[in-house]
Amino acid sequence: MKNCRNCGKKFDGGKTEMKKMTREELLSKYAEGKRDFSSLNLSGIDLRGEDIQGADFTCSDLHGADLRGAYLRLVEFKGSDLRCADMRGADLQFTNLSRNDMGGFFI
């Protein structure tokens, strides 16, 4: 459990059945060509400035994620938990943000 840097609430993603993936694992798999990161616990992940265009985070937990300045073109966030996620300065062209929990979302 840790505190969200934006809202101060403790969280572990609230979805313990979801597989947790670290920043290093995600970027390594992305570099290998993987784009499906759906249904993962990525709460609090720091992807500032990263190019992850075309990634699919459908139904993933990104509560408190730091995506500032990230290249997020064509990224799928459908049904994801984006509470307190920070996307300021991110490239969101053609990004799907439909049906999300986005309380405290920064853009």
Side-chain angles (χ1 to χ4, degrees):
M1 290 275 250
K2 61 183 182 178
N3 292 332
C4 174
R5 71 185 190 301
N6 296 313
C7 70
K9 291 184 180 175
K10 290 197 178 297
F11 67 94
D12 66 358
K15 301 172 183 166
T16 53
E17 70 278 1
M18 292 178 133
K19 180 184 181 320
K20 180 79 174 167
M21 185 177 282
T22 67
R23 173 186 196 279
E24 293 74 22
E25 288 174 304
L26 186 145
L27 293 175
S28 174
K29 290 184 183 298
Y30 186 89
E32 293 168 3
K34 179 176 176 153
R35 296 297 181 265
D36 183 4
F37 300 101
S38 58
S39 299
L40 291 174
N41 179 350
L42 302 168
S43 59
I45 197 164
D46 182 350
L47 295 171
R48 276 178 289 180
E50 295 294 342
D51 180 348
I52 51 174
Q53 68 176 321
D56 182 357
F57 295 106
T58 299
C59 297
S60 286
D61 183 353
L62 290 129
H63 180 188
D66 190 345
L67 302 166
R68 289 177 288 170
Y71 191 72
L72 304 174
R73 281 184 182 210
L74 300 167
V75 171
E76 281 287 333
F77 288 111
K78 186 176 179 182
S80 294
D81 182 349
L82 293 168
R83 288 174 295 145
C84 298
D86 192 343
M87 293 185 176
R88 289 177 288 183
D91 184 342
L92 297 171
Q93 288 188 3
F94 311 109
T95 297
N96 185 352
L97 294 167
S98 64
R99 297 193 309 203
N100 292 307
D101 183 348
M102 298 193 321
F105 176 75
F106 297 94
I107 194 164

